[in-house]
Amino acid sequence: MTASSDMAAFALVVDRGSLARAAPELGMTASALSKQLTRLEERLGVRLLNRTTRRLSLTPEGERFLARSRDVLALI
C-alpha cells in the first residue's frame, strides 16, 4: 500500500463509521482493512482510532491525521 492509499482507506473508514462498511468499497475484507490500519498506526507511532467491536472513535491524533489526509488527498 502507498501512503496515499492508506490515507484514503483511513478517511473512508471514518466516513463510513465502520471497517465492515468501508472494506467492500476498497475491495477488501474488514480483517485486511483492520490490519492495514494497524500497520499505518505502527508506522506513524500513534493510535488513530479507538476500536471496539461496536464502535470506532477518533483519537486526537486521528483527528489531526484525518484533516491532514483530506488536505493531501485533495491536492493529489
Side-chain angles (χ1 to χ4, degrees):
M1 294 285 148
T2 65
S4 62
S5 65
D6 285 344
M7 287 183 212
F10 173 70
L12 187 63
V13 167
V14 173
D15 290 344
R16 298 300 177 260
S18 84
L19 295 166
R21 281 181 278 214
E25 291 185 49
L26 296 168
M28 307 173 78
T29 64
S31 176
L33 181 53
S34 177
K35 289 175 185 174
Q36 180 181 351
L37 292 177
T38 298
R39 286 190 301 272
L40 174 62
E41 290 174 331
E42 288 172 355
R43 279 197 315 276
L44 295 173
V46 296
R47 184 172 266 312
L48 300 173
L49 292 168
N50 293 313
R51 295 179 248 183
T52 67
T53 55
R54 296 177 193 236
R55 223 176 119 204
L56 291 177
S57 63
L58 285 167
T59 64
E61 295 83 4
E63 289 179 21
R64 287 191 293 277
F65 185 74
L66 178 62
R68 183 56 102 194
S69 294
R70 291 190 196 281
D71 290 342
V72 168
L73 292 168
L75 291 171
I76 292 178

